[in-house]
Amino acid sequence: MLLLAAAFLVAFVLLLYMVSPLISPKPLGLPGAHVVVTGGSSGIGKCIAIECYKQGAFITLVARNEDKLLQAKKEIEKHSINDKQVVLCISVDVSQDYNQVENVIKQAQEKLGPVDMLVNCAGTSVSGKFEDLEVSTFERLMSINYLGSVYPSRAVITTMKERRVGRIVFVSSQAGQLGLFGFTAYSASKFAIRGLAEALQMEVKPYNVYITVAYPPDTDTPGFAEENRTKPLETRLISETTSVCKPEQVAKQIVKDAIQGNFNSSLGSDGYMLSALTCGMAPVTSITEGLQQVVTMGLFRTIALFYLGSFDSIVRRCMMQREKSEIANKTA
């Protein structure tokens, strides 16, 4: 009986592997495609632009700093695979004025054609204890990290639906899957992206437009270096429990998942576990993906409880050390 059940299970899994390609999105071809990358002047955004350019795409870089944009343009152009490719630079703050964002997207489309893929990579991070953060910090992060993704997406979605083709990538963070000490402002703005992406995917899937949410781990970028300058001790110690990734490695995975139309994009074993644990009602790209989530959920939840316990322990130790230091200072 057990042998029969095992054979049935193996046959069922093999069937899923054969059927899943039939329901998965058709991969998007990047040669000749127009890819818009916000926050594309540095870090993960620039590396995503380079990866797409290597595959034959035409690139529109969007960022605030014009000097950094021109520097990134020169670096990207070194990776061309033909003399027809173009890198267009547009200096604009994507989080401030929707009409301005819409206008620059129209300009880009007039020069390079309709947008085939939009990568929302503009963002920033500020860490600190909840009561120490200014209220304006919460407003600013929600504006940059959330509305800075809403505005460009809103500007391209109508054309994508009309053409029945397109990819929109939202670059969130592992802090958008798990709330951590010091990230009350940052995590909230990144969690918001997940809700937007799930609702939008349900709207645009019938039009062959697919959404990808990327959850990169700590990545060696200028933004990460700036973030580390003000991190609370607890946040820094928790972050140090995992390794820091290279932006090129993160970019390759994001581009690969976006091309395939995968809703989730994660990196490494921790990233895979977090995506499975937090999948909830998120869409799946294939039957096998859903099956893997069902099978691994219990095991991953058990592992996650150990992680959470260690994080709580770090916070408690830091609190006790701080209290001892305060007592010593008072008695000195």
Side-chain angles (χ1 to χ4, degrees):
M1 190 67 180
L2 285 174
L3 210 61
L4 185 63
F8 177 78
L9 181 62
V10 170
F12 179 64
V13 171
L14 288 173
L15 179 64
L16 288 178
Y17 272 103
M18 289 187 291
V19 173
S20 61
L22 302 177
I23 65 169
S24 297
K26 182 181 178 182
L28 177 71
L30 283 185
H34 181 190
V35 178
V36 175
V37 184
T38 71
S41 62
S42 64
I44 295 174
K46 183 178 71 174
C47 290
I48 288 174
I50 290 173
E51 185 63 26
C52 292
Y53 203 64
K54 284 179 178 179
Q55 298 188 39
F58 289 66
I59 305 295
T60 295
L61 289 180
V62 181
R64 291 175 296 176
N65 190 305
E66 197 165 348
D67 291 336
K68 287 184 178 179
L69 275 171
L70 294 175
Q71 187 177 347
K73 172 183 166 76
K74 291 178 182 178
E75 187 174 342
I76 293 166
E77 287 176 336
K78 295 177 183 177
H79 301 276
S80 65
I81 61 172
N82 63 67
D83 55 5
K84 294 180 180 179
Q85 285 178 274
V86 175
V87 179
L88 177 66
C89 293
I90 299 177
S91 176
V92 68
D93 187 337
V94 293
S95 68
Q96 291 300 309
D97 184 346
Y98 171 70
N99 291 327
Q100 191 176 14
V101 173
E102 187 178 36
N103 286 334
V104 298
I105 292 294
K106 284 180 180 178
Q107 292 172 23
Q109 293 190 124
E110 287 170 1
K111 293 180 180 179
L112 300 182
V115 177
D116 296 290
M117 182 191 294
L118 166 68
V119 182
N120 292 292
C121 204
T124 189
S125 173
V126 177
S127 57
K129 290 182 182 178
F130 182 65
E131 66 271 23
D132 293 339
L133 293 171
E134 297 291 338
V135 171
S136 60
T137 299
F138 290 84
E139 296 169 346
R140 184 167 67 90
L141 289 191
M142 192 59 75
S143 176
I144 296 172
N145 294 343
Y146 178 67
L147 293 179
S149 293
V150 171
Y151 293 166
S153 302
R154 179 68 177 75
V156 304
I157 198 65
T158 300
T159 304
M160 285 186 176
K161 288 172 71 175
E162 288 173 352
R163 296 175 62 227
R164 297 292 200 275
V165 64
R167 298 286 191 272
I168 296 178
V169 180
F170 295 101
V171 179
S172 180
S173 163
Q174 286 188 348
Q177 297 173 296
L178 167 68
L180 293 174
F181 187 106
F183 282 149
T184 51
Y186 180 64
S187 281
S189 66
K190 290 299 188 177
F191 266 85
I193 289 174
R194 162 76 177 267
L196 167 66
E198 287 191 12
L200 184 58
Q201 179 63 96
M202 192 174 289
E203 289 187 19
V204 301
K205 189 175 181 179
Y207 297 91
N208 194 39
V209 177
Y210 287 90
I211 311 298
T212 297
V213 186
Y215 300 103
D218 285 342
T219 306
D220 186 13
T221 65
F224 180 64
E226 182 66 25
E227 174 191 318
N228 279 337
R229 291 175 58 190
T230 57
K231 263 183 183 174
L233 176 61
E234 294 90 338
T235 312
R236 182 165 54 80
L237 291 175
I238 290 171
S239 296
E240 288 173 356
T241 60
T242 59
S243 58
V244 177
C245 292
K246 295 290 185 183
E248 296 84 2
Q249 184 184 10
V250 174
K252 283 185 179 181
Q253 187 63 50
I254 292 173
V255 172
K256 178 182 176 183
D257 286 323
I259 288 171
Q260 295 298 326
N262 296 334
F263 184 77
N264 281 299
S265 178
S266 60
L267 194 69
S269 56
D270 285 348
Y272 177 77
M273 182 179 75
L274 268 176
S275 291
L277 276 171
T278 60
C279 62
M281 291 290 287
V284 293
T285 310
S286 67
I287 296 174
T288 50
E289 181 186 359
L291 181 64
Q292 288 168 355
Q293 291 168 352
V294 170
V295 171
T296 59
M297 183 67 74
L299 173 63
F300 285 167
R301 179 56 177 167
T302 302
I303 297 172
L305 291 175
F306 284 98
Y307 271 97
L308 290 172
S310 69
F311 296 161
D312 286 340
S313 178
I314 288 171
V315 173
R316 282 194 300 271
R317 286 202 309 270
C318 289
M319 183 189 71
M320 292 171 64
Q321 288 174 3
R322 193 173 293 112
E323 288 178 345
K324 286 180 181 178
S325 178
E326 290 173 358
I327 293 171
N329 290 335
K330 287 178 181 178
T331 56

